[in-house]
Amino acid sequence: MRLPWAPAANEKDRREMLRRIGIDDVMELYKDVPRKIVLEKPPGIGFGRQLSEWELRRIVDSMLRKNKVYTDPPPFLGGGVCFHTIPAVVDAIVSRNEFYTAYTPYQPEINQGLLQAFFEYQSLMADLLEMDVANVSMYDWSTAAAEAILAAMRVTKRRKVVVAGNIHPERMEVIKTWLLGKDVNIQLVGFDRETGRVDLEQLENIVDNNTAAVYVEVPNFFGVIEDGVDAIAEVAHKRKALFIVGVDPLSLGIVRPPGSYGADIVVGDAQPLGLGLNYGGPYLGIFATRWDRKLVRQMPGRLIGLTKTIDGKEYGFTMILQTREQHIRREKATSNITSNEALMAVAAAAYMVLLGGSGLRELARSIWLRSHYAAKRLAEFEGVESPLFGGEFFKEFVVKFPKPYHTVHRMLLEKGILGGLPLADKPPLMDDCSALFCVTEAHSMKDIDRLVEAIGEAL
């Protein structure tokens, strides 16, 4: 289809553009590319011709029909990103034109409404975590954790980091990738095979005066809640290392907030707060610190503040901290994060306001009850260990079966049930008989009983 109004969409325009830059053929722009890796002819992809909009729509629709969507029952697949219900009002709010962009505004003060929404998000998140300062978001939990470790290294000027061995393995991979080339010594701490919790004795032996930070997750990858957080904080602070805690924000409805047990930096993902599964993203990285000028100054991302006019009669919102490499000397930037997840922050703020403190507590309690009911029902089968770890858990829990789980998982799929996350290739457990199950407020008792009945038949 010819689009004469679009630049470079016709041969005449292309010839004129080449003439203006002084070349005869567009391939002259690629003369530095070795000839041996340049394609001699167009790759054999597509349909050999341009398709009409209707033809393209039919092809895409036929491809989409191959997708299997699990809504009855909702998926029990754990692994950090879980199926939660989203009030319709959240989508309605973020669909408004004034919010509907994820791009970082370059003249932020021109949009006071958006800045106010960010300010409210920061305030709500800081209140939930019991931390002093929260930024206006990161990409996701993984990158927030990696940035927290980098911030700790800048503050302490140390190069050793101690990480709990029971954190999410994919977050561990992101941390390693993020820190590659930073001359960092990453040391893992083992966990108790009975409880699933951090081995405190081993932690104390590893943390020393060269340690920049200790990073743990609450709940951890197995869904287990660390009950030794006060002791971990003491071990870290005794060596003047920073204590970084990763959290599931929904768990804080019934679990102690990290600010109450001495966390210096808190990270996490706000995906449970009204963001949905989103096909793997976008999500929303949480990043918060206690009030310490050094910590706040090394915080990546942006902070929105409330200010007032000289006469004190009017208030306004303004960006008070940003460390983007475009805006300050590049090598002095504390983060290379550019466009962040601003729209997701607005959604999370709307979700938290909608539920309020009592709503979050009620929701967390509901998730705790449902997940424990599921674990108890699965434990009724002979040879099944549910939950595998004895530590208290929230939302997710490991189940060990008397046979390889992939056979159980396949039978569940045949019955229209998306079961737990197989752990055969997931460190640190790497057990082909175990799976990580997730139960949320979206699962009714009928859903759970249906899962249990199907597993019973598979066994």
Side-chain angles (χ1 to χ4, degrees), residues 66-83:
K66 295 179 183 177
N67 287 336
K68 176 67 176 176
V69 179
Y70 295 90
T71 55
D72 183 24
F76 292 93
L77 195 71
V81 178
C82 302
F83 187 95

Side-chain angles (χ1 to χ4, degrees), residues 198-263:
V198 169
D199 184 331
L200 291 175
E201 186 176 341
Q202 190 180 129
L203 175 76
E204 185 141 19
N205 290 332
I206 292 179
V207 177
D208 56 26
N209 292 335
N210 296 316
T211 304
V214 175
Y215 175 60
V216 302
E217 295 182 350
V218 186
N220 60 36
F221 178 55
F222 308 129
V224 173
I225 299 169
E226 296 287 350
D227 64 352
V229 284
D230 294 285
I232 297 173
E234 185 179 344
V235 169
H237 292 154
K238 190 166 64 177
R239 300 293 186 179
K240 298 189 183 309
L242 297 181
F243 183 29
I244 304 173
V245 181
V247 298
D248 174 345
L250 265 191
S251 71
L252 301 179
I254 56 174
V255 176
R256 288 173 62 197
S260 70
Y261 49 81

Side-chain angles (χ1 to χ4, degrees), residues 336-404:
N336 285 320
I337 285 179
T338 56
S339 298
N340 69 357
E341 309 297 288
L343 186 67
M344 299 298 100
V346 174
Y351 183 89
M352 287 187 281
V353 169
L354 189 66
L355 267 68
S358 60
L360 285 173
R361 280 190 291 275
E362 185 178 339
L363 178 58
R365 184 172 179 275
S366 172
I367 292 171
W368 185 90
L369 288 170
R370 290 164 198 250
S371 55
H372 279 68
Y373 172 73
K376 185 177 179 181
R377 287 293 322 275
L378 290 172
E380 295 172 0
F381 296 115
E382 186 177 355
V384 172
E385 296 179 65
S386 175
L388 176 63
F389 297 109
E392 184 57 77
F393 66 91
F394 176 78
K395 191 165 64 178
E396 296 183 88
F397 56 97
V398 178
V399 180
K400 188 177 179 66
F401 295 91
K403 58 193 292 188

